[in-house]
Amino acid sequence: QVRTSPLIAVASRSMAVILPANDAIYQIAQCFLLLSYVQVNILFLRVVLCFGSLFFAVWCGVSLPGISVDGVVYNVIFGFINFVQAVFLAREMLPIKFTAEQQKMYTTLFGSFLTPYQFKLLLNHGRRRKIRKLNSVLSQEGNPFSMIALVVEKDPTAVFIVEKDGVKLNELSLFNWIGMPEYTEYLEAKKLAEGKSVDGDILNRVTHKLMTDNAPVAFWVWEVEDLEKLFCHKSHGAALYTGLNSVILMGLSALLIHLNGFHVSLYKRLNDNQDLIARSSMKLDVGSVTSSMIRYEATGSAGPDAVPDTVVITGGTHLLQSVPVSTGNQL
C-alpha cells in the first residue's frame, strides 16, 4: 500500500474544496475595506469602514447558510464606533463662523497654534468684558491671581495702564496680555505642588487700571479654574494647553524685550567712515540674540550684500557695546 504524504493530502483536500466567489454583498463589503487602506483623510477612513462593517453585518445575516450571530454583532459594533467617530470629525471640520473681532484674534495670535475648532473651544470657556469708567480696575495688585485677559478692543483715546505701588509702569495696547507673569508662576507652582491646590498662593503683581472716562477697553477673560477644566478635554485638551501657553509665552517674551531690550546695529567701514548696513526692527534681548533673529529695516550705501565688520549695541540713546565682527563671533 502506497502512503500519501500529509502535505500532498492537505493540498489535495484544499484543491478539492475550492468555493465559488461570494455574493455581491460580500464583494461590496470587501471593496469598502480595500478603500480604507488607501484613505489619507481620517474622516473618509471612518466613513468607508462604517459602510464596510454594515455590509459585512448584512452578509453574515442573510448570505450564509445560517445567521452568524457573532459576525452580525461584531460588525454592528464596529460600524457604530466608526459612525460616532465620523460624526465627531465631521463636526470639527464644519466651517466655524467667528465675529470680526474673534477672527482678528485668531489670525493675529492663535492661528499658528490652534485649529479654528480648538480656538472656538477656548472662546467658549472665556467671556468678553468691557470697562469704560475712570479708575475701573481689571486686576488689583496683591489680590489672589485668578484669571488671564487679552485686550481685544481699545478706544483710541483710552489710557489703560499697568501700575505697581502707585507708580505707572507701562501702558497697554491692543492684543496685550494681562496676567502673564502670574500665569507662568501658577503653572510652575502646579508642577511643584504634585496635584495639590495652589489657589490663593499666587498674587497679582501689578494693578491694571483705566485712566480715562467714557473711553471703553474690552477684554477676553479666562478664569484659571475654567482653563483647568478645558485642558482636561478628552480630544483637544493637550493641544489647547500647549497652544495657549505658546501664545502667552510669545506675549511675555515680547513684553520683556519691550521693557528690557536693546537694539543691534550692523556697520561696515567704508573710506574710514562707518556706513549703517542694517538695524534690528525691534528691540532684542542681548542674551538671546542670534543672527537669524535680527530682522533688517534698511540697508545703507554699502549695499544689501555687504558683510558687517562692527556690531553696535544700544539701549535707548546710550551706547552699550561696540565690538568687531569676526568669523564665529558671538555676543
Side-chain angles (χ1 to χ4, degrees), residues 37-111:
Y37 284 97
V38 296
Q39 290 301 321
V40 177
N41 187 296
I42 186 66
L43 175 60
F44 291 157
L45 172 64
R46 292 292 185 180
V47 170
V48 295
L49 286 175
C50 182
F51 278 106
S53 298
L54 173 63
F55 277 92
F56 272 124
V58 173
W59 180 75
C60 290
V62 302
S63 297
L64 297 178
I67 298 176
S68 176
V69 177
D70 55 347
V72 172
V73 171
Y74 277 118
N75 280 286
V76 167
I77 294 174
F78 297 154
F80 176 76
I81 292 173
N82 282 296
F83 174 76
V84 172
Q85 293 293 331
V87 169
F88 280 119
L89 289 169
R91 187 182 65 174
E92 293 182 12
M93 293 180 179
L94 289 174
I96 296 177
K97 293 183 179 180
F98 294 125
T99 65
E101 177 182 282
Q102 293 170 351
Q103 184 63 49
K104 191 172 183 181
M105 290 170 60
Y106 181 73
T107 303
T108 305
L109 296 177
F110 296 91

Side-chain angles (χ1 to χ4, degrees), residues 6-168:
L7 292 176
I8 296 176
V10 170
S12 300
R13 286 197 297 272
S14 299
M15 293 177 63
V17 295
I18 292 178
L19 299 175
N22 286 295
D23 60 10
I25 298 176
Y26 180 85
Q27 305 305 326
I28 294 173
Q30 289 287 15
C31 286
F32 278 116
L33 185 62
L34 177 63
L35 285 174
S36 72
Y37 284 97
V38 296
Q39 290 301 321
V40 177
N41 187 296
I42 186 66
L43 175 60
F44 291 157
L45 172 64
R46 292 292 185 180
V47 170
V48 295
L49 286 175
C50 182
F51 278 106
S53 298
L54 173 63
F55 277 92
F56 272 124
V58 173
W59 180 75
C60 290
V62 302
S63 297
L64 297 178
I67 298 176
S68 176
V69 177
D70 55 347
V72 172
V73 171
Y74 277 118
N75 280 286
V76 167
I77 294 174
F78 297 154
F80 176 76
I81 292 173
N82 282 296
F83 174 76
V84 172
Q85 293 293 331
V87 169
F88 280 119
L89 289 169
R91 187 182 65 174
E92 293 182 12
M93 293 180 179
L94 289 174
I96 296 177
K97 293 183 179 180
F98 294 125
T99 65
E101 177 182 282
Q102 293 170 351
Q103 184 63 49
K104 191 172 183 181
M105 290 170 60
Y106 181 73
T107 303
T108 305
L109 296 177
F110 296 91
S112 300
F113 303 99
L114 300 176
T115 65
Y117 181 78
Q118 291 166 347
F119 181 59
K120 188 67 174 178
L121 286 177
L122 182 63
L123 291 177
N124 291 341
H125 282 73
R127 71 183 191 279
R128 194 178 191 275
R129 180 180 173 186
K130 180 181 285 189
I131 58 176
R132 62 174 67 247
K133 293 183 179 181
L134 178 65
N135 292 327
S136 295
V137 174
L138 184 67
S139 64
Q140 180 66 49
E141 178 184 358
N143 286 354
F145 167 71
S146 62
M147 60 86 181
I148 58 174
L150 178 68
V151 182
V152 295
E153 178 191 342
K154 185 174 182 288
D155 188 278
T157 62
V159 177
F160 189 71
I161 68 168
V162 181
E163 185 180 82
K164 184 173 180 62
D165 297 328
V167 179
K168 175 183 174 181

